[in-house]
Amino acid sequence: MGAFLKDPWWILSIFAGFASFALWADQNTKWGKALGATNISLIVGMVLVNISVIPSWSNIHGVIFSHAVPIGISLLLFQANVKKSVKLGPKLLLAMAIGTVATCVGALIAPLVFNVGPETWKVYGMYAATYIGGSANLAAVGTGLNIDASIFAAVNAADVIVFFVWMMFLAQAGKWISLKKHYPQREIFTETLEEKEASNKTIFGYDAGISLGLAIVCSAIGIWLGKMTKIPAILITTTIVLLLANFTPISKIKVATELGLWFFMMFFVAIGSLAVVKDVVAAGPRVFYGASTLIALHGISLLVLGKVFRIPLEYLIVSSSANVGGPSTAGPQAAAYGWEDLVAPGVLMGVIGAAVGTYIGFGLAYFLRSIIG
């Protein structure tokens, strides 16, 4: 049986309406504060698709992924301070390097336990790619290795569920006092008098229009230049927005962050709606167990070594989000927690992961082929 709601306007209404509801609940209810807007959005999407209210894919999903994400990132980055972000760089890079190495180790160990047949080496190359730089890398490696279509679908289905669960964990971990006490406090840079005055500025209705219009223009320019130069569009868009944020008064428009979060709550509802449980069941347990093992090794290594190297928990969460979800999740994850100083570094870490993930995925796949055949 197909989804109850198929009309694009109704699907868009679901995404937009529940994005608003998630943000409202996060700010105004005890249960919403406990879950967080990101988790509320993910859960809503997953529930609605599995009870056949909305489809797992539609033209609106495509619009959200291709248009809402770059616009949302642009809006979040309008508050970015490059000078402060640079100071955070070394430990964030160390956290991401730990996560990347742990993912690689997991991709070498998991196939020895959960072999899925002749294309095992391709499967774990795809998993390594996606848990280093996001889902786009999974598709790139799978396509490049010419993996069987049915195996590709199974890997993608398992990845969606594992990604969903891990994003929910990351959205909660930063609130757990029992976990935070094992890690040092992060350095929070105090606001200058000028920044404090800007934060107290009255917000006018047209501020939203100005920031949204600029975000759309920056995204359009980034995508156009990306096509022309073959440089990742998100990297160009990020550069343009960071220049505006640090050399023009645009950073004084504080409503941009809230708008950016709203766009990303729509994105998370859409992500949740990709998590179709029956697809994972049909894919078979070994594909799912393999992905789960890999992400578990990534997470455990990151938390253990993060404690050893005295890396703040906030950095570990943002770097893991950059590894597993790419730039489209790391920045919003930081913003949802209120860690505004980590938004820009999170996006940039995601860009780095996306850049290297595909190469590492191919390399691991061929290495695995030489070991297990």
Side-chain angles (χ1 to χ4, degrees):
M1 184 177 68
F4 177 69
L5 297 178
K6 297 180 181 178
D7 184 273
W9 278 104
W10 281 114
I11 297 171
L12 180 59
S13 297
I14 290 287
F15 289 166
F18 278 107
S20 300
F21 172 75
L23 291 170
W24 173 84
D26 190 3
Q27 294 295 316
N28 296 281
T29 68
K30 289 183 178 179
W31 65 267
K33 286 182 172 68
L35 276 176
T38 299
N39 277 343
I40 294 170
S41 301
L42 286 167
I43 291 168
V44 165
M46 184 177 185
V47 170
L48 291 178
V49 76
N50 282 285
I51 62 174
S52 299
V53 173
I54 58 175
S56 60
W57 186 259
S58 67
N59 289 337
I60 298 300
H61 286 77
V63 170
I64 295 293
F65 294 148
S66 64
H67 291 70
V69 168
I71 292 170
I73 286 177
S74 297
L75 287 164
L76 292 180
L77 288 177
F78 280 146
Q79 309 303 317
N81 185 309
V82 171
K83 289 182 180 178
K84 291 179 181 178
S85 298
V86 168
K87 293 179 181 179
L88 301 172
K91 285 209 168 182
L92 264 175
L93 281 170
L94 175 59
M96 191 165 184
I98 292 170
T100 298
V101 172
T103 296
C104 293
V105 172
L108 294 174
I109 293 173
L112 302 178
V113 183
F114 301 109
N115 190 297
V116 296
E119 299 205 306
T120 294
W121 62 281
K122 298 180 182 180
V123 167
Y124 286 96
M126 292 169 66
Y127 280 147
T130 192
Y131 297 141
I132 288 171
S135 296
N137 292 354
L138 179 143
V141 172
T143 303
L145 294 176
N146 196 29
I147 194 167
D148 180 85
S150 62
I151 300 294
F152 184 96
V155 170
N156 190 66
D159 172 55
V160 168
I161 294 292
V162 171
F163 169 82
F164 174 90
V165 172
W166 189 247
M167 285 298 109
M168 289 190 65
F169 168 75
L170 292 178
Q172 289 295 108
K175 302 175 184 179
W176 296 342
I177 302 300
S178 59
L179 185 61
K180 291 177 70 174
K181 69 181 182 181
H182 295 290
Y183 299 89
Q185 290 188 336
R186 70 188 178 98
E187 183 180 3
I188 301 176
F189 300 100
T190 56
E191 289 185 314
T192 63
L193 180 61
E194 184 180 290
E195 288 171 334
K196 287 180 179 178
E197 290 176 353
S199 65
N200 294 326
K201 181 188 172 191
T202 302
I203 296 174
F204 298 100
Y206 56 75
D207 286 341
I210 292 171
S211 55
L212 182 57
L214 279 173
I216 293 172
V217 171
C218 290
S219 301
I221 293 173
I223 290 168
W224 176 69
L225 287 176
K227 290 178 180 177
M228 295 281 290
T229 62
K230 306 302 181 184
I231 297 171
I234 190 63
L235 186 57
I236 298 174
T237 299
T238 297
T239 303
I240 294 170
V241 176
L242 288 177
L243 289 171
L244 286 175
N246 287 272
F247 296 103
T248 75
I250 188 64
S251 61
K252 296 178 181 179
I253 303 179
K254 297 300 178 184
V255 73
T257 299
E258 285 72 22
L259 276 174
L261 278 174
W262 180 75
F263 271 93
F264 272 102
M265 290 313 111
M266 284 201 296
F267 169 74
F268 285 126
V269 175
I271 283 288
S273 71
L274 298 178
V276 183
V277 174
K278 66 179 182 181
D279 288 347
V280 178
V281 173
R286 296 184 74 81
V287 173
F288 175 72
Y289 293 155
S292 300
T293 300
L294 205 151
I295 203 70
L297 287 169
H298 163 88
I300 292 169
S301 300
L302 194 63
L303 291 173
V304 171
L305 292 176
K307 179 176 172 60
V308 172
F309 289 106
R310 297 191 53 77
I311 300 173
L313 181 62
E314 294 89 343
Y315 294 7
L316 300 176
I317 290 171
V318 171
S319 65
S320 180
S321 186
N323 269 145
V324 178
S328 60
T329 62
Q333 190 80 268
Y337 271 117
W339 306 332
E340 292 189 3
D341 56 320
L342 296 181
V343 173
V347 171
L348 293 173
M349 292 300 103
V351 170
I352 292 171
V356 303
T358 299
Y359 296 104
I360 295 175
F362 276 116
L364 268 170
Y366 288 117
F367 181 70
L368 278 170
R369 186 176 66 173
S370 69
I371 296 174
I372 62 178

